[in-house]
Amino acid sequence: MSEPQSTLTDRFGRRITYVRMSVTDRCDFRCVYCMDEKMTFVPREQLLTLEEMARLGKAFVQLGVHKIRLTGGEPLTRRNVMQLFNDLGHLDGLNDFTLTTNGSQLPKYAQQLKDAGVTRINISLDTLDAQRFADLTRIGKIEQTLDGIDAAIAAGFDRIKLNAVILKNRNHDEIIPLVDFARDKGIDISFIEEMPLGVISDHDRAEVYYSSDDILRDIREKYDLQAIGATTGGPSKYYQSADSDTRVGFISPHSHNFCDDCNRVRVTAEGRLLLCLGQEHSVDLRRVLRANPLDDAPLLAALQDAMQIKPKGHEFDLNAKPILFRHMSATGG
Ligand code: SAM
Ligand code: SF4
């Protein structure tokens, strides 16, 4: 693979090689930490088209991005979404093409995604209990996600990882069962601290905070987890025990800030480039895409210019006001 002529490097010398693109802000679940019960979604005409998303993804790869994650909302609920996976999947220079999903549509799509070039999949699963699953997702059914996990395993991705958001007194008693489940299935699992993105009415985020250190302590009551140096180019820190291939990751935006080696940016489904998960610095790429339908030079220049406003980092404070204007589903989690 030859080095690109120009790359994306910010003021702090961090090279941006990883882009998370939100395919839609809509979802077939309403998880209590992610969305409010009644959500207003972006009108469809304001979303980037799938063609515009593919064009943007290709521009990023031209600038040295070698990992793209498609996320949402629930990416697999967008109509004709396979078109986007097929357009991006086999790009020269893109060596990691990944998806974050709630799993509900994987029975239908897992094999097509594998064929399109998706290398790895993250599937969200916070509980193994059917009633709790219904409570936490408000409208989801656990069988959908469990069937989706099995479909992904059958399709044979390089790696599959579960993502679990742990909330005190809601599902913290399931940490070990979730690790057991991942080990039984031969897949990885990451635990995520809840982040204050968007206003939610279900709970007080400070009250349910359960830190990565607490989770690690709980798991060590059963398994001898040791830190390993492995990275998948994201914010997870990984651990493993000698008796299993399953890696246990921790995404700890509160307790272990991961900004110093940040290598990523996000794009919302409306085409807004977000330079930091926890700050509001952004650039309207939809305007650039639509003003220059046949010429990519202004788009490439806009991406490079945007690096000048990437902030040094973020601090989340559960007692301060949240990032108001976007929920995780709109941010592209
Ligand atoms: N719908 C897909 C899913 O659930 O995997 C993809 C989008 S979802 C926003 C991506 C990830 O963000 C999920 O693992 C979800 O659990 C996590 N998430 C959502 N809201 C969050 C929050 N406020 N804090 C931490 N993680 C959150
Ligand atoms: Fe939907 Fe994923 Fe948010 Fe749950 S976490 S509401 S599945 S976007």
Side-chain angles (χ1 to χ4, degrees), residues 27 33-34 71-75 100-102 122-124 126 163 165 192-197 205 328-329 333:
C27 186
Y33 45 77
C34 178
T71 177
E74 177 46 46
T100 304
T101 173
N102 65 26
N122 289 356
I123 306 171
S124 299
D126 305 321
N163 275 345
V165 176
I192 308 176
E193 291 176 350
E194 186 185 12
M195 296 172 235
L197 296 175
R205 297 202 204 253
M328 191 62 147
S329 52

Side-chain angles (χ1 to χ4, degrees), residues 302-317:
L303 295 178
Q304 289 195 294
D305 289 350
M307 294 302 116
Q308 296 311 310
I309 60 163
K310 184 169 166 62
K312 192 162 193 300
H314 67 262
E315 294 289 340
F316 283 131
D317 178 354

Side-chain angles (χ1 to χ4, degrees), residues 26 42-49 52 78 269-270 286 290:
R26 287 160 202 258
V42 175
R44 284 182 214 279
E45 60 280 6
Q46 289 181 25
L47 300 179
L48 290 189
T49 64
E52 287 168 335
R78 179 139 181 192
E270 294 164 277
R286 186 182 60 194
R290 293 190 180 167

